[in-house]
C-alpha cells in the first residue's frame, strides 16, 4: 500500500513543506500525527464525497492532513498567533456548510461541474459556473442545439474525441478537464517566475493588496489578515468579487477585517491609483491571467525585480506558462485535472468529486504559506501557485501502488476507531465584511504624494 499512514500525517506534510522552502518558523510548528483517515472523517469533506444515496466515501489521498499541515506552518510563520478555532481540515468544508451543499457523486456539490462520459469510455469534467458558459456550448461542440446539461450529456455520449474537445473548450474559455489526462511528471506546488535582490522590509506588519475573488485568493488573504497583515481588498466597481452574490456569511467569513476599495479600471486615473496601491504594498495576491494585467499596464515580473521588498503571489488554475496561462479553472475541474477522480475510480470503482471545489481551499492555504515565507525572506520574488498543481502535489506525495487496498484499510481503521463522519461546519461569523468600495477614499488619500491626481 506504499507509505505508512504516519508518513502521510499533517506533521509529515508540514515537515515536507518546511524542508522544501527552508522555512524558519517564528514559533514551534504545532501539528498532530493523526491518522489521515481520521482527519478526513472529521474534516466535513468526507461527508461531501460520494453518491447521495450511499455512505460517504473515504479518500486515499490525505487531503485533510495536508490542509492541517499547511495551516500549522502558516501559523508558525505568522507574526501574530492564529485563532485557536482555525482548523485546516475543517476549512475544506466551510463553503458547503454555509451554502447547504451535499454530495452528489459525479456532480459537484455546488452543481456547476459535472463529469460526463463519452463514447470512447473517456470522461470530461465540464464546469459551467457562469451563466454565459452555456452560450459557448454550440461553438464548442459544433452543434446548434446544445444549451443545457441534458443536451450536453447526450452530445458527449456520441463523441470519442476527448483530447480535441478539451483543447478546443479551453481555447473558448471553458473550465474543462479530461478525467484520464496524464501528466508527464509530478508537479512542484509552486514556481518562482522572477526574482531580484531582497530588500529591507518597510513595515513591522505587511500591507497586502488582495486582487482576488471567490475562494482561493480571499482565503489566502484572510489567513494573512488573521496573522497580523493589513489587507486592502480591491474590486472592480462594476465587476465586484462574485462571492458577494453568494451566501453573505461565506463572504463575511473570508473578507471581514479587510479594507475594501472599488475602482473603475477603465478610467485612466483610477487605473493609476491601482498602480500606486501596488507600489505601496509589501505583498500582492492576484489571480488574473498575465495578459489581462499587462493590458492594465502591470508587469509583475518587472515590478518584483525593481522592488527589493515586494512579494507577489500569482494564483491561477493551471500555472503561468503557456498555453496553461490562458486556461480557465475552478476548484472542482482543477481537482479532476490533478487526478483525484482517477484515484477515486481506482479506489472505489466509481468516479466521484472529492469534497467541495477542494482545489480552491488547498491552493489558498499554500498561497498564504508562500506569502509569509517570501515576506520573511525579504521579498523580491514572483511566485506562481496553481489550483491543479497544489492538488497534484498532494496526490503525488501520497502515491501508492494499490489505491483500493489503502482505501479499504483506511476505512476499516476509521470504523474500528469509532470515528464518526462529521458534517461540514463553518466558523462563527464574528464580523461582517465592508460594503463594496467603503474604504476607497481613505485608502487612496493615504497614498499621499504617491496618489495620482
Amino acid at each position: 500500500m506504499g507509505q505508512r499512514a504516519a508518513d502521510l500525517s499533517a506533521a509529515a506534510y508540514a515537515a515536507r513543506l518546511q524542508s522544501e522552502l527552508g522555512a524558519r518558523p517564528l514559533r514551534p510548528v504545532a501539528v498532530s500525527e493523526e491518522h489521515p483517515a481520521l482527519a478526513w472523517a472529521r474534516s466535513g469533506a468526507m461527508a461531501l464525497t460520494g453518491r447521495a444515496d450511499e455512505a460517504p466515501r473515504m479518500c486515499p489521498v490525505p487531503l485533510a492532513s495536508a490542509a492541517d499541515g499547511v495551516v500549522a506552518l502558516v501559523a508558525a510563520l505568522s507574526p501574530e498567533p492564529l485563532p485557536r478555532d482555525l482548523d485546516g481540515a475543517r476549512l475544506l468544508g466551510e463553503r458547503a456548510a454555509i451554502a447547504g451543499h451535499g454530495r452528489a457523486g459525479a456532480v459537484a456539490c455546488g452543481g456547476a461541474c459535472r463529469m460526463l462520459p463519452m463514447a470512447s469510455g473517456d470522461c470530461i469534467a465540464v464546469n459551467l459556473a457562469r451563466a454565459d458558459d452555456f452560450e459557448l456550448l454550440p461553438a464548442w461542440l459544433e452543434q446548434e442545439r446544445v444549451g443545457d446539461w441534458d443536451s450536453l450529456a447526450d452530445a458527449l455520449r456520441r463523441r470519442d474525441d476527448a483530447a480535441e474537445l478539451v483543447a478546443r473548450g479551453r481555447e473558448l474559455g471553458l473550465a474543462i478537464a479530461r478525467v484520464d489526462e496524464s501528466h508527464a511528471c509530478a508537479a512542484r506546488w509552486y514556481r518562482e517566475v522572477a526574482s531580484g535582490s531582497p530588500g529591507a522590509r518597510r513595515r513591522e506588519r505587511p500591507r497586502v493588496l488582495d486582487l482576488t475573488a471567490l475562494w482561493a485568493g480571499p482565503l489566502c488573504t484572510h489567513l494573512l489578515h488573521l496573522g497580523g497583515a493589513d489587507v486592502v481588498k480591491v474590486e472592480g466597481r462594476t465587476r465586484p468579487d462574485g462571492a458577494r452574490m453568494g451566501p453573505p456569511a461565506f463572504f463575511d467569513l473570508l473578507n471581514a477585517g479587510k479594507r475594501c476599495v472599488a475602482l473603475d479600471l477603465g478610467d485612466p486615473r483610477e487605473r493609476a491609483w491601482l498602480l500606486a496601491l501596488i507600489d505601496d504594498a509589501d505583498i500582492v495576491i492576484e489571480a488574473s491571467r498575465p495578459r489581462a494585467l499587462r493590458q492594465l499596464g502591470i508587469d509583475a515580473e518587472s515590478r518584483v525585480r525593481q522592488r527589493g521588498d515586494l512579494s507577489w503571489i500569482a494564483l491561477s488554475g493551471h500555472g503561468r506558462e503557456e498555453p496553461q496561462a490562458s486556461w480557465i479553472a475552478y476548484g472542482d475541474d482543477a481537482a479532476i485535472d490533478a487526478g483525484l477522480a482517477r484515484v477515486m475510480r481506482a479506489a472505489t470503482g466509481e468516479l466521484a468529486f472529492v469534497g467541495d471545489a477542494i482545489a480552491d481551499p488547498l491552493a489558498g492555504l499554500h498561497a498564504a504559506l508562500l506569502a509569509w515565507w517570501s515576506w520573511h525572506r525579504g521579498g523580491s520574488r514572483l511566485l506562481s501557485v496553481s489550483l491543479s498543481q497544489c492538488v497534484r502535489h498532494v496526490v503525488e506525495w501520497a502515491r501508492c501502488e494499490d489505491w483500493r487496498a489503502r482505501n479499504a484499510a483506511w476505512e476499516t481503521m476509521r470504523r474500528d476507531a469509532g470515528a464518526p463522519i462529521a458534517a461540514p461546519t463553518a466558523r462563527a461569523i464574528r464580523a461582517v465584511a465592508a460594503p463594496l468600495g467603503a474604504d476607497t477614499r481613505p485608502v487612496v488619500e493615504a497614498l499621499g504624494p504617491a496618489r495620482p491626481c
Side-chain angles (χ1 to χ4, degrees):
M1 287 183 288
Q3 295 165 285
R4 298 177 305 137
D7 296 330
L8 299 174
S9 67
Y13 194 67
R16 177 189 178 98
L17 295 180
Q18 184 176 348
S19 175
E20 287 179 351
L21 294 172
R24 299 173 182 173
L26 303 178
R27 56 185 69 86
V29 182
V31 64
S32 79
E33 295 186 0
E34 178 184 32
H35 192 289
L38 303 184
W40 182 242
R42 71 172 171 80
S43 70
M46 182 171 179
L48 300 170
T49 303
R51 290 167 48 179
D53 59 349
E54 295 183 351
R57 294 285 194 180
M58 178 58 64
C59 177
V61 179
L63 299 164
S65 297
D68 279 337
V70 181
V71 167
L73 198 50
V74 169
L77 287 169
S78 299
E80 295 181 6
L82 297 183
R84 292 185 177 181
D85 67 346
L86 190 69
D87 184 310
R90 290 196 174 102
L91 290 176
L92 302 179
E94 280 196 319
R95 188 181 76 162
I98 292 172
H101 293 161
R103 64 185 181 278
V107 177
C109 293
C113 190
R114 302 187 184 191
M115 285 186 276
L116 302 173
M118 302 184 65
S120 61
D122 210 330
C123 189
I124 289 180
V126 183
N127 201 331
L128 304 177
R130 303 163 297 188
D132 55 0
D133 284 336
F134 286 91
E135 299 174 6
L136 298 175
L137 297 182
W140 175 41
L141 297 175
E142 298 177 322
Q143 293 181 228
E144 291 184 5
R145 297 182 180 180
V146 180
D148 56 27
W149 282 114
D150 289 339
S151 58
L152 172 59
D154 183 64
L156 289 178
R157 278 194 293 267
R158 305 168 189 272
R159 303 289 288 264
D160 60 4
D161 52 344
E164 291 81 359
L165 280 180
V166 169
R168 183 158 70 245
R170 285 171 169 166
E171 288 177 359
L172 289 171
L174 287 171
I176 190 170
R178 184 182 174 192
V179 169
D180 288 309
E181 184 173 4
S182 60
H183 298 275
C185 59
R188 186 177 176 87
W189 62 275
Y190 77 95
R191 190 172 78 86
E192 187 172 288
V193 178
S195 63
S197 300
R201 295 204 298 258
R202 299 184 183 187
R203 303 175 174 96
E204 286 292 319
R205 297 289 187 268
R207 178 160 298 160
V208 176
L209 194 64
D210 179 359
L211 305 178
T212 69
L214 301 177
W215 193 355
L219 174 60
C220 167
T221 54
H222 169 61
L223 294 180
L224 299 181
H225 164 68
L226 293 178
D230 168 24
V231 180
V232 177
K233 180 178 179 67
V234 177
E235 301 171 77
R237 198 183 303 280
T238 58
R239 294 187 64 185
D241 184 344
R244 284 190 182 273
M245 276 59 82
F250 186 63
F251 187 82
D252 290 338
L253 189 63
L254 297 188
N255 294 288
K258 302 174 184 177
R259 293 186 287 162
C260 290
V261 170
L263 300 176
D264 176 4
L265 298 182
D267 182 328
R269 185 180 68 156
E270 298 197 18
R271 194 159 60 241
W273 292 353
L274 174 60
L275 298 178
L277 287 169
I278 290 173
D279 288 338
D280 189 52
D282 303 293
I283 301 172
V284 172
I285 312 292
E286 53 89 2
S288 300
R289 283 175 280 185
R291 181 177 59 187
L293 289 178
R294 293 189 192 103
Q295 289 173 346
L296 295 174
I298 301 170
D299 185 331
E301 288 86 346
S302 296
R303 286 183 178 271
V304 298
R305 292 189 182 106
Q306 294 166 3
R307 279 270 310 277
D309 59 344
L310 178 61
S311 295
W312 190 296
I313 312 298
L315 276 158
S316 64
H318 297 281
R320 290 175 67 90
E321 303 84 4
E322 293 295 346
Q324 295 94 323
S326 300
W327 298 350
I328 296 291
Y330 301 102
D332 287 309
D333 56 280
I336 298 301
D337 181 76
L340 271 187
R342 294 197 301 277
V343 170
M344 292 302 291
R345 182 174 57 195
T348 70
E350 293 184 355
L351 290 173
F353 284 96
V354 178
D356 174 29
I358 204 160
D360 270 306
L362 281 175
L365 298 179
H366 283 80
L369 172 60
L370 273 188
W372 280 135
W373 170 76
S374 178
W375 182 71
H376 283 301
R377 292 173 68 93
S380 193
R381 53 177 58 82
L382 167 58
L383 302 166
S384 169
V385 183
S386 89
L387 275 64
S388 61
Q389 287 171 341
C390 280
V391 177
R392 197 176 308 134
H393 179 263
V394 181
V395 172
E396 294 291 343
W397 170 59
R399 182 169 294 282
C400 71
E401 295 179 1
D402 192 338
W403 291 112
R404 183 179 291 273
R406 177 190 285 173
N407 202 65
W410 283 14
E411 177 60 16
T412 298
M413 187 274 169
R414 182 196 68 79
R415 290 177 178 173
D416 290 347
I421 301 171
T425 58
R427 291 164 290 152
I429 307 298
R430 297 189 173 93
V432 298
L436 177 67
D439 303 296
T440 303
R441 181 179 293 277
V443 168
V444 171
E445 288 180 348
L447 293 171
R451 178 170 59 89
C453 298

CSV table of all heavy atoms in Angstrom, one decimal, residues 175-198:
chain,number,residue,atom,x,y,z
A,175,ALA,N,-14.0,26.1,-18.5
A,175,ALA,CA,-13.3,25.4,-17.4
A,175,ALA,C,-13.6,24.0,-17.6
A,175,ALA,O,-14.7,23.5,-17.3
A,175,ALA,CB,-13.7,25.9,-16.1
A,176,ILE,N,-12.6,23.2,-18.1
A,176,ILE,CA,-12.8,21.9,-18.5
A,176,ILE,C,-11.6,21.0,-18.2
A,176,ILE,O,-10.5,21.5,-18.2
A,176,ILE,CB,-13.2,21.9,-20.0
A,176,ILE,CG1,-13.7,20.6,-20.5
A,176,ILE,CG2,-12.0,22.4,-20.9
A,176,ILE,CD1,-14.2,20.7,-21.9
A,177,ALA,N,-11.8,19.7,-18.0
A,177,ALA,CA,-10.7,18.9,-17.7
A,177,ALA,C,-11.0,17.4,-18.2
A,177,ALA,O,-12.2,17.0,-18.2
A,177,ALA,CB,-10.3,18.8,-16.3
A,178,ARG,N,-10.0,16.7,-18.6
A,178,ARG,CA,-10.2,15.3,-19.0
A,178,ARG,C,-9.8,14.4,-17.9
A,178,ARG,O,-8.7,14.5,-17.3
A,178,ARG,CB,-9.3,15.0,-20.2
A,178,ARG,CG,-9.5,13.7,-20.8
A,178,ARG,CD,-8.5,13.5,-22.0
A,178,ARG,NE,-8.5,12.2,-22.5
A,178,ARG,CZ,-7.6,11.7,-23.4
A,178,ARG,NH1,-6.6,12.5,-23.8
A,178,ARG,NH2,-7.6,10.4,-23.8
A,179,VAL,N,-10.7,13.5,-17.5
A,179,VAL,CA,-10.5,12.7,-16.3
A,179,VAL,C,-9.3,11.8,-16.5
A,179,VAL,O,-8.5,11.7,-15.6
A,179,VAL,CB,-11.7,11.8,-16.1
A,179,VAL,CG1,-11.4,10.7,-15.0
A,179,VAL,CG2,-12.9,12.6,-15.6
A,180,ASP,N,-9.1,11.3,-17.7
A,180,ASP,CA,-7.9,10.4,-17.9
A,180,ASP,C,-6.7,11.0,-18.6
A,180,ASP,O,-5.9,10.3,-19.1
A,180,ASP,CB,-8.4,9.2,-18.8
A,180,ASP,CG,-9.3,8.3,-18.1
A,180,ASP,OD1,-8.9,7.8,-17.0
A,180,ASP,OD2,-10.4,8.0,-18.6
A,181,GLU,N,-6.7,12.3,-18.5
A,181,GLU,CA,-5.5,13.0,-19.0
A,181,GLU,C,-4.3,12.7,-18.0
A,181,GLU,O,-4.4,12.8,-16.8
A,181,GLU,CB,-5.7,14.5,-19.1
A,181,GLU,CG,-4.5,15.3,-19.7
A,181,GLU,CD,-4.8,16.7,-19.9
A,181,GLU,OE1,-5.9,17.2,-19.5
A,181,GLU,OE2,-3.9,17.4,-20.4
A,182,SER,N,-3.2,12.3,-18.6
A,182,SER,CA,-2.0,12.0,-17.8
A,182,SER,C,-1.0,13.1,-17.9
A,182,SER,O,-0.9,13.8,-18.9
A,182,SER,CB,-1.3,10.7,-18.2
A,182,SER,OG,-0.9,10.8,-19.6
A,183,HIS,N,-0.2,13.3,-16.8
A,183,HIS,CA,0.8,14.4,-16.8
A,183,HIS,C,2.2,13.7,-16.7
A,183,HIS,O,2.3,12.7,-16.0
A,183,HIS,CB,0.6,15.3,-15.6
A,183,HIS,CG,-0.8,16.1,-15.7
A,183,HIS,ND1,-0.9,17.2,-16.5
A,183,HIS,CD2,-2.0,15.8,-15.2
A,183,HIS,CE1,-2.2,17.6,-16.4
A,183,HIS,NE2,-2.8,16.8,-15.6
A,184,ALA,N,3.1,14.3,-17.4
A,184,ALA,CA,4.4,13.6,-17.6
A,184,ALA,C,5.2,13.5,-16.3
A,184,ALA,O,5.9,12.5,-16.1
A,184,ALA,CB,5.2,14.4,-18.6
A,185,CYS,N,5.0,14.4,-15.4
A,185,CYS,CA,5.8,14.4,-14.1
A,185,CYS,C,5.0,15.0,-13.0
A,185,CYS,O,4.1,15.6,-13.2
A,185,CYS,CB,7.2,15.1,-14.3
A,185,CYS,SG,7.0,16.8,-14.8
A,186,ALA,N,5.5,14.7,-11.8
A,186,ALA,CA,4.9,15.2,-10.6
A,186,ALA,C,5.1,16.7,-10.6
A,186,ALA,O,6.1,17.3,-11.0
A,186,ALA,CB,5.5,14.6,-9.4
A,187,ALA,N,4.1,17.4,-10.1
A,187,ALA,CA,4.1,18.9,-10.1
A,187,ALA,C,4.7,19.4,-8.9
A,187,ALA,O,4.4,19.0,-7.8
A,187,ALA,CB,2.6,19.4,-10.3
A,188,ARG,N,5.6,20.4,-9.0
A,188,ARG,CA,6.0,21.2,-7.9
A,188,ARG,C,4.8,22.2,-7.6
A,188,ARG,O,4.2,22.7,-8.5
A,188,ARG,CB,7.3,22.0,-8.3
A,188,ARG,CG,7.9,22.8,-7.1
A,188,ARG,CD,9.1,23.5,-7.5
A,188,ARG,NE,9.7,24.3,-6.4
A,188,ARG,CZ,10.5,23.8,-5.5
A,188,ARG,NH1,10.9,22.5,-5.5
A,188,ARG,NH2,11.0,24.6,-4.6
A,189,TRP,N,4.5,22.3,-6.3
A,189,TRP,CA,3.3,23.1,-6.0
A,189,TRP,C,3.4,24.6,-6.2
A,189,TRP,O,2.4,25.3,-6.1
A,189,TRP,CB,2.9,22.7,-4.5
A,189,TRP,CG,3.8,23.1,-3.5
A,189,TRP,CD1,4.9,22.4,-3.0
A,189,TRP,CD2,3.8,24.3,-2.7
A,189,TRP,NE1,5.5,23.1,-2.0
A,189,TRP,CE2,4.9,24.2,-1.8
A,189,TRP,CE3,2.9,25.4,-2.6
A,189,TRP,CZ2,5.1,25.3,-0.8
A,189,TRP,CZ3,3.2,26.4,-1.7
A,189,TRP,CH2,4.3,26.3,-0.8
A,190,TYR,N,4.6,25.1,-6.4
A,190,TYR,CA,4.8,26.5,-6.7
A,190,TYR,C,6.0,26.6,-7.7
A,190,TYR,O,6.8,25.7,-7.8
A,190,TYR,CB,5.0,27.3,-5.5
A,190,TYR,CG,6.4,27.3,-4.9
A,190,TYR,CD1,7.4,28.2,-5.3
A,190,TYR,CD2,6.8,26.2,-4.1
A,190,TYR,CE1,8.7,28.1,-4.8
A,190,TYR,CE2,8.1,26.2,-3.5
A,190,TYR,CZ,9.0,27.1,-3.9
A,190,TYR,OH,10.3,27.0,-3.4
A,191,ARG,N,6.0,27.7,-8.4
A,191,ARG,CA,7.2,28.0,-9.2
A,191,ARG,C,7.6,29.5,-9.1
A,191,ARG,O,6.8,30.4,-9.0
A,191,ARG,CB,6.8,27.8,-10.7
A,191,ARG,CG,8.0,27.8,-11.7
A,191,ARG,CD,7.6,27.4,-13.1
A,191,ARG,NE,6.9,28.4,-13.8
A,191,ARG,CZ,7.5,29.3,-14.5
A,191,ARG,NH1,8.8,29.4,-14.6
A,191,ARG,NH2,6.8,30.3,-15.2
A,192,GLU,N,8.9,29.7,-9.0
A,192,GLU,CA,9.4,31.0,-8.9
A,192,GLU,C,9.6,31.5,-10.3
A,192,GLU,O,10.4,31.0,-11.1
A,192,GLU,CB,10.8,31.1,-8.2
A,192,GLU,CG,11.3,32.5,-7.9
A,192,GLU,CD,12.5,32.5,-7.0
A,192,GLU,OE1,12.3,32.3,-5.8
A,192,GLU,OE2,13.6,32.8,-7.5
A,193,VAL,N,8.8,32.6,-10.7
A,193,VAL,CA,8.8,33.1,-12.0
A,193,VAL,C,9.8,34.2,-12.2
A,193,VAL,O,10.5,34.2,-13.3
A,193,VAL,CB,7.4,33.6,-12.4
A,193,VAL,CG1,7.3,34.2,-13.8
A,193,VAL,CG2,6.3,32.5,-12.2
A,194,ALA,N,10.0,35.0,-11.2
A,194,ALA,CA,11.0,36.1,-11.4
A,194,ALA,C,11.5,36.4,-10.0
A,194,ALA,O,10.8,36.2,-9.0
A,194,ALA,CB,10.4,37.3,-12.0
A,195,SER,N,12.7,37.0,-9.9
A,195,SER,CA,13.2,37.4,-8.6
A,195,SER,C,14.2,38.5,-8.8
A,195,SER,O,14.8,38.7,-9.9
A,195,SER,CB,13.9,36.2,-7.9
A,195,SER,OG,15.0,35.7,-8.6
A,196,GLY,N,14.5,39.2,-7.7
A,196,GLY,CA,15.5,40.3,-7.7
A,196,GLY,C,16.3,40.1,-6.4
A,196,GLY,O,16.4,39.1,-5.8
A,197,SER,N,16.9,41.2,-6.0
A,197,SER,CA,17.7,41.2,-4.7
A,197,SER,C,16.8,41.6,-3.6
A,197,SER,O,16.2,42.7,-3.6
A,197,SER,CB,18.8,42.2,-4.8
A,197,SER,OG,19.7,41.8,-5.9
A,198,PRO,N,16.5,40.7,-2.6
A,198,PRO,CA,15.7,41.1,-1.5
A,198,PRO,C,16.1,42.3,-0.8
A,198,PRO,O,17.3,42.6,-0.6
A,198,PRO,CB,15.8,39.9,-0.6
A,198,PRO,CG,16.2,38.7,-1.5
A,198,PRO,CD,17.1,39.4,-2.5
